[in-house]
Amino acid sequence: MQIPLKVYNSLTKQKEEFQPINPPFVGMYVCGPTVYSDVHLGNVRTFLSFDVIYRYLQHLGYKVRYVRNITDVGHLTDDADEGEDKIGKKARLENLEPMQIVQRYSNDFHNVMELFNILPPDIEPTATGHIVEQIEMIKALMNKGLAYEVNGSVYFDVSKYNENNHYGELSGRVLEELMSGSRTLDGQDEKRNPVDFALWKKAVKGHIMRWHSPWSVGFPGWHLECSVMSAKYLGETFDIHGGGMDLKFPHHECEIAQSQGATGKSPVKYWLHTNMLTVNGQKMSKSLGNSFLPHQLVTGEHELLDQPYSPMTVRFFMLQSHYSSTLDFSNEALKAAAKGYKKLINGLRIAKSLEYTEDGGGLNEKVLKQIDQIIENIYRSMNDDFNSARVIAQLFNLLKKINSLQTKNLKFGELGKEGFEKLINTFADFVENVLGLREEKPEDVDGILDILLKLYAEAKAEKNYDKVDEIRSLLKERGIVLKDMKDKIDWAYEE
RNA sequence: GGUCUCGUGGCCGAGUGGCUAGGCAGAGGUCUGCAAAACCUUUUACGGCGGUUCGAAUCCGCCCGAGACCUCCA
């Protein structure tokens, strides 16, 4: 396609043509979850957005290396770098080894990702697996005079960094204002400046997760792992760094400062930020207590939910908005999405089942042109900062053609074999591979079997033995045998 | 208070200086034993006030309203 891919770069605050540093390779890093509690739907939105970006880049032929970390070091509950370690706290409360907490919620996270058909990244590094590398980066920063040690803890010297760099370039902060705006913490603070942040924290008594370092037995600062792991797997400068808006400051700002401080290079070419999921206009977040857990959605067991919604309904719902807009979560919107999703996925089933047959129609240039136009619009939309909402709109337009083929309102011959294949393949490819929507078959297989058993019983009662034999043999082909019992009919797997 | 985003028809949600978003809901029609689905047609719109322009919902200013970040958060 001739239309170039453009992405909105949060760093430059404008849409830019996407040009990878080393085509056809693309390096993409996305901040993953901290595994100390269940992921909620807001978290899912971010990973879903980058899933579609990942899928589309691959669709365009790029060789993408997608890295998404797992934060399994317990970071502190407030940014004064005080407070309790979240994983350690949970471990203590539940009387578990911290790594049990980490494992449990990592497993849960992976299950949720699979539920929403979010592809796994190529590399999923953990913070605890890269303590050595983090220590190395701290050393490098200390050697450059950008970090200082106090009582076994090491802090990043933001004002020092700002002398030759621009701290705040991503989030639009001005250091002076940050410094005047932040309260000086009473007495105990080890930092030279409130805006400085921890690279290494000495473990206080009772802190469970701890490692040896040249400075103390302790643990690394929150921002450090992303700088370290992205550099390790993608290089000191790589193409795309993603994450939720709420990580822009301070997390991503600090990441830039660390990386640039250590290497002298700007680490990321394109910064992409996804917007928040809201509930009644308010951000969904753990701390506000208005978050939905994925399983609550699927079961419908939540006071704000009228009914259950399937994972693909939610996926479809989220893709109907642009990743950089807030999206409000409501029953009405979800119900509409459920119907829309089913319409689209019915189309996918039809698309896959249609076979081209010569039915005497002559080529219809007008329809062919329409289809070409729609397909071009699909690429145009996706290339415009991954506008999945517009892609879906166009897919519904293709769907009309597909449905018309099925109902014979449109003849195969009008499209010709080539036109037909383009229609079907584009539709199926975008629905399944780019948007990642998959068919959700009814799970109630038992219920469907019951219906067959009922028909079988009726046929027997009518002594319609042809029908009886037919049902029996058809089920047998599927590995299911019927059992005529004295008082009822049952079934079993064929042995 | 500082920085920033948004305000689109009954609901959700794209987009754009003049050319159909789309889904859901509503209306009419075709098809159908009935129904559903599908297809065709169709109603409802760009927070307010100014300005730029031949023309703005789209650009600019002001106002009103909502939200995000500035503390852990995707």
Side-chain angles (χ1 to χ4, degrees):
Chain A
M1 289 289 137
Q2 291 83 356
I3 323 134
L5 171 62
K6 289 193 171 181
V7 300
Y8 181 82
N9 188 349
S10 310
L11 189 63
T12 58
K13 294 170 184 61
Q14 54 191 344
K15 265 185 207 171
E16 297 174 359
E17 193 170 321
F18 179 68
Q19 288 175 326
I21 298 162
N22 296 308
F25 302 100
V26 172
M28 176 161 98
Y29 187 92
V30 172
C31 290
T34 302
V35 281
Y36 69 99
S37 67
D38 295 303
V39 286
H40 63 70
L41 234 37
N43 306 116
V44 170
R45 187 187 186 202
T46 294
F47 302 125
L48 174 56
S49 300
F50 286 105
D51 183 52
V52 172
I53 290 170
Y54 177 45
R55 288 166 179 269
Y56 186 60
L57 289 171
Q58 289 182 319
H59 175 89
L60 292 180
Y62 290 115
K63 307 267 181 262
V64 186
R65 182 181 289 171
Y66 176 22
V67 181
R68 187 183 64 207
N69 68 299
I70 286 201
T71 298
D72 58 351
V73 168
H75 294 295
L76 303 176
T77 45
D78 75 52
D79 191 53
D81 289 318
E82 304 296 331
E84 236 177 329
D85 147 18
K86 285 175 284 198
I87 293 172
K89 181 180 175 187
K90 188 103 180 176
R92 196 167 46 69
L93 286 174
E94 303 193 12
N95 205 14
L96 296 170
E97 177 65 28
M99 277 324 233
Q100 271 181 289
I101 302 291
V102 164
Q103 189 68 53
R104 179 201 289 174
Y105 291 109
S106 296
N107 290 345
D108 171 73
F109 172 65
H110 290 138
N111 290 339
V112 170
M113 292 297 101
E114 158 53 17
L115 186 67
F116 290 98
N117 202 23
I118 293 168
L119 297 172
D122 298 294
I123 301 176
E124 190 171 55
T126 59
T128 55
H130 297 76
I131 299 291
V132 173
E133 290 88 340
Q134 295 185 71
I135 289 172
E136 290 307 310
M137 186 174 258
I138 297 172
K139 282 185 188 164
L141 288 168
M142 289 186 90
N143 286 339
K144 297 204 170 189
L146 292 170
Y148 56 91
E149 185 200 337
V150 182
N151 300 330
S153 292
V154 182
Y155 297 96
F156 187 88
D157 191 337
V158 173
S159 15
K160 184 80 203 251
Y161 170 79
N162 200 239
E163 286 173 10
N164 297 311
N165 299 279
H166 177 194
Y167 181 81
E169 60 176 331
L170 178 68
S171 57
R173 309 286 143 123
V174 178
L175 185 58
E176 288 71 34
E177 289 174 5
L178 282 173
M179 281 159 68
S180 64
S182 52
R183 283 168 291 133
T184 321
L185 294 140
D186 27 317
Q188 304 295 349
D189 198 11
E190 295 171 339
K191 296 181 198 174
R192 289 180 191 165
N193 195 310
V195 297
D196 291 352
F197 54 90
L199 297 171
W200 188 264
K201 247 341 230 186
K202 180 179 176 180
V204 296
K205 199 176 170 216
H207 193 107
I208 314 174
M209 301 186 94
R210 48 173 71 202
W211 292 266
H212 285 281
S213 81
W215 312 284
S216 65
V217 174
F219 54 95
W222 175 38
H223 313 302
L224 194 57
E225 60 183 273
C226 290
S227 288
V228 162
M229 297 190 293
S230 60
K232 173 158 180 169
Y233 299 111
L234 299 174
E236 290 180 348
T237 302
F238 57 96
D239 299 296
I240 297 175
H241 189 128
M245 289 276 206
D246 49 358
L247 295 184
K248 219 177 190 180
F249 187 89
H251 183 57
H252 291 157
E253 200 68 73
C254 295
E255 247 187 272
I256 293 177
Q258 290 164 345
S259 298
Q260 189 149 334
T263 68
K265 294 179 214 158
S266 181
V268 176
K269 193 166 178 191
Y270 306 100
W271 281 91
L272 270 53
H273 287 97
T274 57
N275 216 135
M276 300 293 105
L277 188 63
T278 61
V279 182
N280 298 323
Q282 267 215 321
K283 175 183 170 182
M284 180 181 283
S285 90
K286 282 175 196 170
S287 43
L288 289 171
N290 63 349
S291 55
F292 293 77
L293 265 29
H295 78 266
Q296 292 175 320
L297 190 89
V298 174
T299 59
E301 283 165 11
H302 190 287
E303 55 176 2
L304 291 171
L305 295 174
D306 289 355
Q307 60 171 78
Y309 301 98
S310 76
M312 285 303 110
T313 292
V314 176
R315 185 168 175 119
F316 177 85
F317 169 70
M318 289 182 174
L319 293 178
Q320 263 190 311
S321 76
H322 190 250
Y323 75 83
S324 65
S325 305
T326 54
L327 174 62
D328 199 55
F329 206 76
S330 71
N331 279 290
E332 263 189 309
L334 277 169
K335 281 176 198 167
K339 291 198 180 182
Y341 159 70
K342 280 177 189 152
K343 187 169 176 177
L344 197 66
I345 218 70
N346 275 328
L348 181 68
R349 284 184 43 246
I350 291 165
K352 286 179 169 176
S353 68
L354 287 176
E355 280 187 48
Y356 187 82
T357 41
E358 293 296 343
D359 52 8
L363 282 185
N364 184 333
E365 293 299 336
K366 193 179 156 205
V367 173
L368 284 172
K369 203 176 162 195
Q370 279 178 351
I371 291 173
D372 277 345
Q373 188 66 49
I374 295 169
I375 291 175
E376 192 191 318
N377 280 338
I378 287 176
Y379 280 95
R380 196 186 292 280
S381 303
M382 210 55 195
N383 284 339
D384 184 9
D385 199 23
F386 311 104
N387 195 324
S388 57
R390 250 166 58 197
V391 169
I392 288 178
Q394 299 301 331
L395 288 174
F396 275 105
N397 289 332
L398 284 188
L399 175 59
K400 283 184 184 169
K401 304 297 177 204
I402 291 168
N403 282 330
S404 295
L405 281 175
Q406 194 205 23
T407 55
K408 314 272 189 224
N409 287 323
L410 182 65
K411 289 187 171 170
F412 289 101
E414 289 185 76
L415 302 182
K417 194 158 171 63
E418 196 189 330
F420 168 77
E421 282 175 357
K422 188 160 35 163
L423 168 66
I424 298 297
N425 293 341
T426 306
F427 183 82
D429 202 21
F430 270 84
V431 172
E432 284 190 295
N433 301 135
V434 177
L435 298 184
L437 293 166
R438 64 183 168 199
E439 197 179 333
E440 288 173 328
K441 297 206 167 123
E443 286 178 12
D444 186 14
V445 176
D446 286 345
I448 291 167
L449 264 176
D450 284 347
I451 293 167
L452 280 167
L453 261 55
K454 185 163 175 287
L455 293 175
Y456 176 80
E458 281 170 9
K460 278 203 99 162
E462 291 164 12
K463 297 193 193 301
N464 182 351
Y465 294 113
D466 284 349
K467 184 60 84 184
V468 168
D469 289 345
E470 190 188 357
I471 294 173
R472 205 181 270 159
S473 71
L474 286 173
L475 279 171
K476 196 161 191 279
E477 284 172 23
R478 293 273 182 274
I480 286 170
V481 289
L482 292 176
K483 305 201 297 188
D484 290 319
M485 309 180 59
K486 274 181 184 156
D487 52 343
K488 63 168 183 174
I489 293 165
D490 200 359
W491 64 271
Y493 298 110
E494 189 181 9
E495 288 167 19

